[in-house]
PDB file of all heavy atoms in Angstrom:
ATOM      1  N   LEU B 749     244.851  -9.229 111.726  1.00  0.00           N
ATOM      2  CA  LEU B 749     245.931  -8.235 111.626  1.00  0.00           C
ATOM      3  C   LEU B 749     246.475  -8.176 110.203  1.00  0.00           C
ATOM      4  O   LEU B 749     246.761  -7.105 109.671  1.00  0.00           O
ATOM      5  CB  LEU B 749     247.063  -8.567 112.609  1.00  0.00           C
ATOM      6  CG  LEU B 749     246.725  -8.451 114.105  1.00  0.00           C
ATOM      7  CD1 LEU B 749     247.920  -8.866 114.956  1.00  0.00           C
ATOM      8  CD2 LEU B 749     246.269  -7.049 114.474  1.00  0.00           C
ATOM      9  N   LYS B 750     246.596  -9.355 109.576  1.00  0.00           N
ATOM     10  CA  LYS B 750     247.118  -9.382 108.205  1.00  0.00           C
ATOM     11  C   LYS B 750     246.170  -8.640 107.253  1.00  0.00           C
ATOM     12  O   LYS B 750     246.622  -7.857 106.420  1.00  0.00           O
ATOM     13  CB  LYS B 750     247.347 -10.827 107.750  1.00  0.00           C
ATOM     14  CG  LYS B 750     248.647 -11.412 108.321  1.00  0.00           C
ATOM     15  CD  LYS B 750     249.006 -12.725 107.661  1.00  0.00           C
ATOM     16  CE  LYS B 750     248.690 -13.887 108.580  1.00  0.00           C
ATOM     17  NZ  LYS B 750     249.010 -15.183 108.022  1.00  0.00           N
ATOM     18  N   ILE B 751     244.870  -8.914 107.418  1.00  0.00           N
ATOM     19  CA  ILE B 751     243.892  -8.226 106.554  1.00  0.00           C
ATOM     20  C   ILE B 751     244.028  -6.706 106.724  1.00  0.00           C
ATOM     21  O   ILE B 751     244.101  -5.956 105.754  1.00  0.00           O
ATOM     22  CB  ILE B 751     242.453  -8.680 106.894  1.00  0.00           C
ATOM     23  CG1 ILE B 751     242.248 -10.141 106.468  1.00  0.00           C
ATOM     24  CG2 ILE B 751     241.413  -7.782 106.234  1.00  0.00           C
ATOM     25  CD1 ILE B 751     240.943 -10.750 106.949  1.00  0.00           C
ATOM     26  N   ALA B 752     244.089  -6.280 107.971  1.00  0.00           N
ATOM     27  CA  ALA B 752     244.156  -4.840 108.245  1.00  0.00           C
ATOM     28  C   ALA B 752     245.406  -4.222 107.657  1.00  0.00           C
ATOM     29  O   ALA B 752     245.370  -3.142 107.061  1.00  0.00           O
ATOM     30  CB  ALA B 752     244.115  -4.596 109.753  1.00  0.00           C
ATOM     31  N   ARG B 753     246.530  -4.948 107.792  1.00  0.00           N
ATOM     32  CA  ARG B 753     247.789  -4.366 107.329  1.00  0.00           C
ATOM     33  C   ARG B 753     247.910  -4.417 105.805  1.00  0.00           C
ATOM     34  O   ARG B 753     248.501  -3.522 105.202  1.00  0.00           O
ATOM     35  CB  ARG B 753     248.961  -5.078 108.012  1.00  0.00           C
ATOM     36  CG  ARG B 753     249.028  -4.790 109.523  1.00  0.00           C
ATOM     37  CD  ARG B 753     249.671  -3.446 109.815  1.00  0.00           C
ATOM     38  NE  ARG B 753     251.064  -3.451 109.492  1.00  0.00           N
ATOM     39  CZ  ARG B 753     252.065  -3.590 110.376  1.00  0.00           C
ATOM     40  NH1 ARG B 753     251.803  -3.688 111.671  1.00  0.00           N
ATOM     41  NH2 ARG B 753     253.299  -3.586 109.966  1.00  0.00           N
ATOM     42  N   ILE B 754     247.325  -5.444 105.184  1.00  0.00           N
ATOM     43  CA  ILE B 754     247.319  -5.465 103.714  1.00  0.00           C
ATOM     44  C   ILE B 754     246.488  -4.285 103.211  1.00  0.00           C
ATOM     45  O   ILE B 754     246.896  -3.533 102.342  1.00  0.00           O
ATOM     46  CB  ILE B 754     246.730  -6.796 103.168  1.00  0.00           C
ATOM     47  CG1 ILE B 754     247.626  -7.979 103.532  1.00  0.00           C
ATOM     48  CG2 ILE B 754     246.558  -6.717 101.651  1.00  0.00           C
ATOM     49  CD1 ILE B 754     246.977  -9.341 103.292  1.00  0.00           C
ATOM     50  N   LYS B 755     245.344  -4.132 103.831  1.00  0.00           N
ATOM     51  CA  LYS B 755     244.448  -3.039 103.439  1.00  0.00           C
ATOM     52  C   LYS B 755     245.155  -1.690 103.588  1.00  0.00           C
ATOM     53  O   LYS B 755     244.986  -0.793 102.765  1.00  0.00           O
ATOM     54  CB  LYS B 755     243.187  -3.079 104.307  1.00  0.00           C
ATOM     55  CG  LYS B 755     242.224  -1.956 104.017  1.00  0.00           C
ATOM     56  CD  LYS B 755     240.936  -2.131 104.815  1.00  0.00           C
ATOM     57  CE  LYS B 755     240.032  -0.924 104.647  1.00  0.00           C
ATOM     58  NZ  LYS B 755     240.303   0.135 105.603  1.00  0.00           N
ATOM     59  N   GLY B 756     245.951  -1.570 104.644  1.00  0.00           N
ATOM     60  CA  GLY B 756     246.658  -0.316 104.897  1.00  0.00           C
ATOM     61  C   GLY B 756     247.933  -0.176 104.079  1.00  0.00           C
ATOM     62  O   GLY B 756     248.668   0.800 104.235  1.00  0.00           O
ATOM     63  N   GLY B 757     248.216  -1.155 103.216  1.00  0.00           N
ATOM     64  CA  GLY B 757     249.401  -1.083 102.363  1.00  0.00           C
ATOM     65  C   GLY B 757     250.705  -1.274 103.126  1.00  0.00           C
ATOM     66  O   GLY B 757     251.754  -0.815 102.705  1.00  0.00           O
ATOM     67  N   ASN B 758     250.613  -1.950 104.255  1.00  0.00           N
ATOM     68  CA  ASN B 758     251.791  -2.134 105.102  1.00  0.00           C
ATOM     69  C   ASN B 758     251.770  -3.549 105.655  1.00  0.00           C
ATOM     70  O   ASN B 758     251.589  -3.762 106.851  1.00  0.00           O
ATOM     71  CB  ASN B 758     251.724  -1.090 106.241  1.00  0.00           C
ATOM     72  CG  ASN B 758     252.904  -1.201 107.181  1.00  0.00           C
ATOM     73  OD1 ASN B 758     253.945  -1.728 106.825  1.00  0.00           O
ATOM     74  ND2 ASN B 758     252.714  -0.708 108.402  1.00  0.00           N
ATOM     75  N   PRO B 759     251.912  -4.542 104.765  1.00  0.00           N
ATOM     76  CA  PRO B 759     251.720  -5.933 105.189  1.00  0.00           C
ATOM     77  C   PRO B 759     252.667  -6.345 106.316  1.00  0.00           C
ATOM     78  O   PRO B 759     253.739  -5.766 106.474  1.00  0.00           O
ATOM     79  CB  PRO B 759     251.998  -6.742 103.928  1.00  0.00           C
ATOM     80  CG  PRO B 759     252.362  -5.796 102.867  1.00  0.00           C
ATOM     81  CD  PRO B 759     252.284  -4.425 103.357  1.00  0.00           C
ATOM     82  N   VAL B 760     252.223  -7.315 107.087  1.00  0.00           N
ATOM     83  CA  VAL B 760     252.983  -7.758 108.247  1.00  0.00           C
ATOM     84  C   VAL B 760     253.180  -9.267 108.161  1.00  0.00           C
ATOM     85  O   VAL B 760     252.293  -9.994 107.696  1.00  0.00           O
ATOM     86  CB  VAL B 760     252.270  -7.343 109.559  1.00  0.00           C
ATOM     87  CG1 VAL B 760     250.867  -7.937 109.642  1.00  0.00           C
ATOM     88  CG2 VAL B 760     253.077  -7.710 110.783  1.00  0.00           C
ATOM     89  N   ASP B 761     254.372  -9.690 108.569  1.00  0.00           N
ATOM     90  CA  ASP B 761     254.688 -11.115 108.554  1.00  0.00           C
ATOM     91  C   ASP B 761     254.398 -11.668 109.957  1.00  0.00           C
ATOM     92  O   ASP B 761     254.945 -11.174 110.940  1.00  0.00           O
ATOM     93  CB  ASP B 761     256.178 -11.235 108.186  1.00  0.00           C
ATOM     94  CG  ASP B 761     256.632 -12.685 108.125  1.00  0.00           C
ATOM     95  OD1 ASP B 761     255.812 -13.588 108.410  1.00  0.00           O
ATOM     96  OD2 ASP B 761     257.817 -12.900 107.796  1.00  0.00           O
ATOM     97  N   ILE B 762     253.533 -12.650 110.029  1.00  0.00           N
ATOM     98  CA  ILE B 762     253.120 -13.144 111.342  1.00  0.00           C
ATOM     99  C   ILE B 762     253.383 -14.643 111.482  1.00  0.00           C
ATOM    100  O   ILE B 762     253.037 -15.432 110.598  1.00  0.00           O
ATOM    101  CB  ILE B 762     251.623 -12.858 111.604  1.00  0.00           C
ATOM    102  CG1 ILE B 762     251.382 -11.338 111.637  1.00  0.00           C
ATOM    103  CG2 ILE B 762     251.166 -13.488 112.928  1.00  0.00           C
ATOM    104  CD1 ILE B 762     249.944 -10.943 111.865  1.00  0.00           C
ATOM    105  N   THR B 763     253.991 -15.024 112.580  1.00  0.00           N
ATOM    106  CA  THR B 763     254.182 -16.431 112.911  1.00  0.00           C
ATOM    107  C   THR B 763     253.276 -16.754 114.105  1.00  0.00           C
ATOM    108  O   THR B 763     253.150 -15.945 115.020  1.00  0.00           O
ATOM    109  CB  THR B 763     255.657 -16.708 113.277  1.00  0.00           C
ATOM    110  OG1 THR B 763     256.458 -16.389 112.145  1.00  0.00           O
ATOM    111  CG2 THR B 763     255.874 -18.167 113.665  1.00  0.00           C
ATOM    112  N   GLU B 764     252.650 -17.922 114.074  1.00  0.00           N
ATOM    113  CA  GLU B 764     251.725 -18.312 115.143  1.00  0.00           C
ATOM    114  C   GLU B 764     252.302 -19.463 115.958  1.00  0.00           C
ATOM    115  O   GLU B 764     252.781 -20.438 115.395  1.00  0.00           O
ATOM    116  CB  GLU B 764     250.383 -18.762 114.533  1.00  0.00           C
ATOM    117  CG  GLU B 764     249.729 -17.723 113.654  1.00  0.00           C
ATOM    118  CD  GLU B 764     248.496 -18.276 112.934  1.00  0.00           C
ATOM    119  OE1 GLU B 764     247.890 -19.253 113.429  1.00  0.00           O
ATOM    120  OE2 GLU B 764     248.167 -17.736 111.858  1.00  0.00           O
ATOM    121  N   ARG B 765     252.268 -19.323 117.277  1.00  0.00           N
ATOM    122  CA  ARG B 765     252.665 -20.420 118.166  1.00  0.00           C
ATOM    123  C   ARG B 765     251.748 -20.397 119.380  1.00  0.00           C
ATOM    124  O   ARG B 765     251.265 -19.350 119.780  1.00  0.00           O
ATOM    125  CB  ARG B 765     254.113 -20.233 118.662  1.00  0.00           C
ATOM    126  CG  ARG B 765     255.192 -20.613 117.661  1.00  0.00           C
ATOM    127  CD  ARG B 765     255.344 -22.130 117.477  1.00  0.00           C
ATOM    128  NE  ARG B 765     255.901 -22.795 118.659  1.00  0.00           N
ATOM    129  CZ  ARG B 765     257.192 -22.896 118.907  1.00  0.00           C
ATOM    130  NH1 ARG B 765     258.082 -22.375 118.082  1.00  0.00           N
ATOM    131  NH2 ARG B 765     257.624 -23.536 119.988  1.00  0.00           N
ATOM    132  N   THR B 766     251.533 -21.564 119.955  1.00  0.00           N
ATOM    133  CA  THR B 766     250.747 -21.606 121.186  1.00  0.00           C
ATOM    134  C   THR B 766     251.471 -22.484 122.199  1.00  0.00           C
ATOM    135  O   THR B 766     251.797 -23.635 121.894  1.00  0.00           O
ATOM    136  CB  THR B 766     249.316 -22.132 120.920  1.00  0.00           C
ATOM    137  OG1 THR B 766     248.683 -21.238 119.998  1.00  0.00           O
ATOM    138  CG2 THR B 766     248.485 -22.174 122.195  1.00  0.00           C
ATOM    139  N   LEU B 767     251.754 -21.907 123.360  1.00  0.00           N
ATOM    140  CA  LEU B 767     252.497 -22.627 124.391  1.00  0.00           C
ATOM    141  C   LEU B 767     251.560 -23.359 125.350  1.00  0.00           C
ATOM    142  O   LEU B 767     250.391 -22.984 125.491  1.00  0.00           O
ATOM    143  CB  LEU B 767     253.366 -21.652 125.188  1.00  0.00           C
ATOM    144  CG  LEU B 767     254.417 -20.873 124.385  1.00  0.00           C
ATOM    145  CD1 LEU B 767     255.183 -19.933 125.296  1.00  0.00           C
ATOM    146  CD2 LEU B 767     255.362 -21.835 123.680  1.00  0.00           C
ATOM    147  N   GLU B 768     252.101 -24.365 125.991  1.00  0.00           N
ATOM    148  CA  GLU B 768     251.326 -25.148 126.960  1.00  0.00           C
ATOM    149  C   GLU B 768     250.730 -24.218 128.027  1.00  0.00           C
ATOM    150  O   GLU B 768     249.571 -24.294 128.385  1.00  0.00           O
ATOM    151  CB  GLU B 768     252.249 -26.181 127.616  1.00  0.00           C
ATOM    152  CG  GLU B 768     251.562 -27.470 127.995  1.00  0.00           C
ATOM    153  CD  GLU B 768     250.895 -28.149 126.809  1.00  0.00           C
ATOM    154  OE1 GLU B 768     251.483 -28.208 125.706  1.00  0.00           O
ATOM    155  OE2 GLU B 768     249.755 -28.605 126.992  1.00  0.00           O
ATOM    156  N   ARG B 769     251.603 -23.337 128.519  1.00  0.00           N
ATOM    157  CA  ARG B 769     251.201 -22.290 129.472  1.00  0.00           C
ATOM    158  C   ARG B 769     252.207 -21.165 129.335  1.00  0.00           C
ATOM    159  O   ARG B 769     253.328 -21.382 128.902  1.00  0.00           O
ATOM    160  CB  ARG B 769     251.232 -22.802 130.921  1.00  0.00           C
ATOM    161  CG  ARG B 769     250.101 -23.721 131.303  1.00  0.00           C
ATOM    162  CD  ARG B 769     249.982 -23.811 132.833  1.00  0.00           C
ATOM    163  NE  ARG B 769     251.132 -24.455 133.453  1.00  0.00           N
ATOM    164  CZ  ARG B 769     251.306 -25.767 133.541  1.00  0.00           C
ATOM    165  NH1 ARG B 769     250.405 -26.577 133.012  1.00  0.00           N
ATOM    166  NH2 ARG B 769     252.357 -26.278 134.140  1.00  0.00           N
ATOM    167  N   GLN B 770     251.818 -19.977 129.767  1.00  0.00           N
ATOM    168  CA  GLN B 770     252.793 -18.876 129.773  1.00  0.00           C
ATOM    169  C   GLN B 770     253.099 -18.422 131.203  1.00  0.00           C
ATOM    170  O   GLN B 770     253.674 -17.372 131.410  1.00  0.00           O
ATOM    171  CB  GLN B 770     252.291 -17.688 128.932  1.00  0.00           C
ATOM    172  CG  GLN B 770     252.245 -18.005 127.437  1.00  0.00           C
ATOM    173  CD  GLN B 770     251.919 -16.793 126.588  1.00  0.00           C
ATOM    174  OE1 GLN B 770     252.087 -15.652 126.997  1.00  0.00           O
ATOM    175  NE2 GLN B 770     251.440 -17.045 125.373  1.00  0.00           N
ATOM    176  N   CYS B 771     252.683 -19.239 132.181  1.00  0.00           N
ATOM    177  CA  CYS B 771     252.920 -18.863 133.572  1.00  0.00           C
ATOM    178  C   CYS B 771     253.948 -19.815 134.192  1.00  0.00           C
ATOM    179  O   CYS B 771     253.936 -20.045 135.391  1.00  0.00           O
ATOM    180  CB  CYS B 771     251.604 -18.877 134.354  1.00  0.00           C
ATOM    181  SG  CYS B 771     250.636 -20.361 134.132  1.00  0.00           S
ATOM    182  N   ASP B 772     254.783 -20.363 133.342  1.00  0.00           N
ATOM    183  CA  ASP B 772     255.752 -21.353 133.790  1.00  0.00           C
ATOM    184  C   ASP B 772     257.015 -21.199 132.949  1.00  0.00           C
ATOM    185  O   ASP B 772     256.950 -21.311 131.724  1.00  0.00           O
ATOM    186  CB  ASP B 772     255.133 -22.750 133.559  1.00  0.00           C
ATOM    187  CG  ASP B 772     255.493 -23.694 134.672  1.00  0.00           C
ATOM    188  OD1 ASP B 772     256.621 -23.572 135.189  1.00  0.00           O
ATOM    189  OD2 ASP B 772     254.657 -24.555 135.007  1.00  0.00           O
ATOM    190  N   PRO B 773     258.164 -20.941 133.582  1.00  0.00           N
ATOM    191  CA  PRO B 773     259.398 -20.686 132.815  1.00  0.00           C
ATOM    192  C   PRO B 773     259.737 -21.820 131.862  1.00  0.00           C
ATOM    193  O   PRO B 773     260.286 -21.604 130.778  1.00  0.00           O
ATOM    194  CB  PRO B 773     260.474 -20.558 133.905  1.00  0.00           C
ATOM    195  CG  PRO B 773     259.741 -20.200 135.143  1.00  0.00           C
ATOM    196  CD  PRO B 773     258.386 -20.825 135.030  1.00  0.00           C
ATOM    197  N   GLU B 774     259.402 -23.046 132.246  1.00  0.00           N
ATOM    198  CA  GLU B 774     259.683 -24.226 131.438  1.00  0.00           C
ATOM    199  C   GLU B 774     259.083 -24.099 130.029  1.00  0.00           C
ATOM    200  O   GLU B 774     259.710 -24.462 129.042  1.00  0.00           O
ATOM    201  CB  GLU B 774     259.083 -25.409 132.206  1.00  0.00           C
ATOM    202  CG  GLU B 774     259.009 -26.689 131.475  1.00  0.00           C
ATOM    203  CD  GLU B 774     258.279 -27.769 132.298  1.00  0.00           C
ATOM    204  OE1 GLU B 774     257.888 -27.528 133.466  1.00  0.00           O
ATOM    205  OE2 GLU B 774     258.087 -28.850 131.747  1.00  0.00           O
ATOM    206  N   TYR B 775     257.864 -23.572 129.956  1.00  0.00           N
ATOM    207  CA  TYR B 775     257.215 -23.435 128.647  1.00  0.00           C
ATOM    208  C   TYR B 775     257.654 -22.165 127.934  1.00  0.00           C
ATOM    209  O   TYR B 775     257.763 -22.140 126.706  1.00  0.00           O
ATOM    210  CB  TYR B 775     255.698 -23.483 128.808  1.00  0.00           C
ATOM    211  CG  TYR B 775     255.246 -24.777 129.427  1.00  0.00           C
ATOM    212  CD1 TYR B 775     254.710 -24.815 130.715  1.00  0.00           C
ATOM    213  CD2 TYR B 775     255.406 -25.976 128.733  1.00  0.00           C
ATOM    214  CE1 TYR B 775     254.330 -26.009 131.291  1.00  0.00           C
ATOM    215  CE2 TYR B 775     255.027 -27.182 129.307  1.00  0.00           C
ATOM    216  CZ  TYR B 775     254.487 -27.191 130.588  1.00  0.00           C
ATOM    217  OH  TYR B 775     254.122 -28.372 131.158  1.00  0.00           O
ATOM    218  N   ILE B 776     257.911 -21.141 128.715  1.00  0.00           N
ATOM    219  CA  ILE B 776     258.407 -19.877 128.150  1.00  0.00           C
ATOM    220  C   ILE B 776     259.727 -20.151 127.409  1.00  0.00           C
ATOM    221  O   ILE B 776     260.002 -19.571 126.355  1.00  0.00           O
ATOM    222  CB  ILE B 776     258.641 -18.852 129.289  1.00  0.00           C
ATOM    223  CG1 ILE B 776     257.320 -18.494 129.978  1.00  0.00           C
ATOM    224  CG2 ILE B 776     259.375 -17.618 128.784  1.00  0.00           C
ATOM    225  CD1 ILE B 776     256.414 -17.606 129.217  1.00  0.00           C
ATOM    226  N   ALA B 777     260.525 -21.091 127.975  1.00  0.00           N
ATOM    227  CA  ALA B 777     261.835 -21.413 127.391  1.00  0.00           C
ATOM    228  C   ALA B 777     261.693 -22.033 126.002  1.00  0.00           C
ATOM    229  O   ALA B 777     262.640 -22.014 125.218  1.00  0.00           O
ATOM    230  CB  ALA B 777     262.586 -22.357 128.319  1.00  0.00           C
ATOM    231  N   GLN B 778     260.533 -22.561 125.689  1.00  0.00           N
ATOM    232  CA  GLN B 778     260.351 -23.237 124.395  1.00  0.00           C
ATOM    233  C   GLN B 778     260.463 -22.300 123.194  1.00  0.00           C
ATOM    234  O   GLN B 778     260.616 -22.764 122.075  1.00  0.00           O
ATOM    235  CB  GLN B 778     258.999 -23.954 124.363  1.00  0.00           C
ATOM    236  CG  GLN B 778     258.966 -25.162 125.290  1.00  0.00           C
ATOM    237  CD  GLN B 778     257.594 -25.803 125.339  1.00  0.00           C
ATOM    238  OE1 GLN B 778     256.622 -25.244 124.854  1.00  0.00           O
ATOM    239  NE2 GLN B 778     257.514 -26.981 125.938  1.00  0.00           N
ATOM    240  N   VAL B 779     260.393 -21.012 123.407  1.00  0.00           N
ATOM    241  CA  VAL B 779     260.515 -20.101 122.258  1.00  0.00           C
ATOM    242  C   VAL B 779     261.876 -19.407 122.222  1.00  0.00           C
ATOM    243  O   VAL B 779     262.088 -18.496 121.428  1.00  0.00           O
ATOM    244  CB  VAL B 779     259.377 -19.035 122.221  1.00  0.00           C
ATOM    245  CG1 VAL B 779     258.048 -19.694 121.904  1.00  0.00           C
ATOM    246  CG2 VAL B 779     259.305 -18.257 123.523  1.00  0.00           C
ATOM    247  N   LYS B 780     262.801 -19.878 123.044  1.00  0.00           N
ATOM    248  CA  LYS B 780     264.085 -19.150 123.158  1.00  0.00           C
ATOM    249  C   LYS B 780     264.857 -19.053 121.829  1.00  0.00           C
ATOM    250  O   LYS B 780     265.529 -18.064 121.579  1.00  0.00           O
ATOM    251  CB  LYS B 780     264.963 -19.729 124.271  1.00  0.00           C
ATOM    252  CG  LYS B 780     265.530 -21.124 124.025  1.00  0.00           C
ATOM    253  CD  LYS B 780     266.494 -21.475 125.178  1.00  0.00           C
ATOM    254  CE  LYS B 780     267.282 -22.737 124.914  1.00  0.00           C
ATOM    255  NZ  LYS B 780     266.459 -23.953 124.645  1.00  0.00           N
ATOM    256  N   ASP B 781     264.701 -20.084 120.978  1.00  0.00           N
ATOM    257  CA  ASP B 781     265.448 -20.078 119.723  1.00  0.00           C
ATOM    258  C   ASP B 781     264.852 -19.157 118.663  1.00  0.00           C
ATOM    259  O   ASP B 781     265.522 -18.790 117.699  1.00  0.00           O
ATOM    260  CB  ASP B 781     265.530 -21.508 119.152  1.00  0.00           C
ATOM    261  CG  ASP B 781     266.312 -22.425 120.064  1.00  0.00           C
ATOM    262  OD1 ASP B 781     267.184 -21.902 120.800  1.00  0.00           O
ATOM    263  OD2 ASP B 781     266.035 -23.639 120.070  1.00  0.00           O
ATOM    264  N   ILE B 782     263.585 -18.834 118.824  1.00  0.00           N
ATOM    265  CA  ILE B 782     262.952 -18.023 117.764  1.00  0.00           C
ATOM    266  C   ILE B 782     262.555 -16.619 118.222  1.00  0.00           C
ATOM    267  O   ILE B 782     262.347 -15.741 117.391  1.00  0.00           O
ATOM    268  CB  ILE B 782     261.692 -18.731 117.198  1.00  0.00           C
ATOM    269  CG1 ILE B 782     260.654 -18.975 118.309  1.00  0.00           C
ATOM    270  CG2 ILE B 782     262.064 -20.026 116.506  1.00  0.00           C
ATOM    271  CD1 ILE B 782     259.264 -19.284 117.760  1.00  0.00           C
ATOM    272  N   VAL B 783     262.478 -16.425 119.520  1.00  0.00           N
ATOM    273  CA  VAL B 783     261.855 -15.195 120.019  1.00  0.00           C
ATOM    274  C   VAL B 783     262.540 -13.922 119.529  1.00  0.00           C
ATOM    275  O   VAL B 783     261.893 -12.891 119.340  1.00  0.00           O
ATOM    276  CB  VAL B 783     261.729 -15.232 121.569  1.00  0.00           C
ATOM    277  CG1 VAL B 783     263.097 -15.042 122.237  1.00  0.00           C
ATOM    278  CG2 VAL B 783     260.743 -14.201 122.064  1.00  0.00           C
ATOM    279  N   HIS B 784     263.834 -13.998 119.266  1.00  0.00           N
ATOM    280  CA  HIS B 784     264.544 -12.792 118.826  1.00  0.00           C
ATOM    281  C   HIS B 784     264.537 -12.599 117.309  1.00  0.00           C
ATOM    282  O   HIS B 784     265.135 -11.663 116.787  1.00  0.00           O
ATOM    283  CB  HIS B 784     265.966 -12.772 119.403  1.00  0.00           C
ATOM    284  CG  HIS B 784     265.958 -12.605 120.891  1.00  0.00           C
ATOM    285  ND1 HIS B 784     266.282 -13.630 121.760  1.00  0.00           N
ATOM    286  CD2 HIS B 784     265.605 -11.549 121.661  1.00  0.00           C
ATOM    287  CE1 HIS B 784     266.133 -13.201 123.015  1.00  0.00           C
ATOM    288  NE2 HIS B 784     265.732 -11.934 122.983  1.00  0.00           N
TER     289      HIS B 784
END
Side-chain angles (χ1 to χ4, degrees):
Chain B
L749 293 178
K750 281 191 256 180
I751 291 171
R753 292 280 291 259
I754 294 168
K755 178 174 174 272
N758 180 22
V760 59
D761 181 358
I762 297 179
T763 299
E764 303 173 24
R765 282 286 291 275
T766 299
L767 300 179
E768 212 57 42
R769 285 198 294 278
Q770 292 187 21
C771 49
D772 217 325
E774 169 185 357
Y775 300 111
I776 296 286
Q778 290 175 349
V779 291
K780 69 174 190 303
D781 296 333
I782 59 163
V783 73
H784 293 108

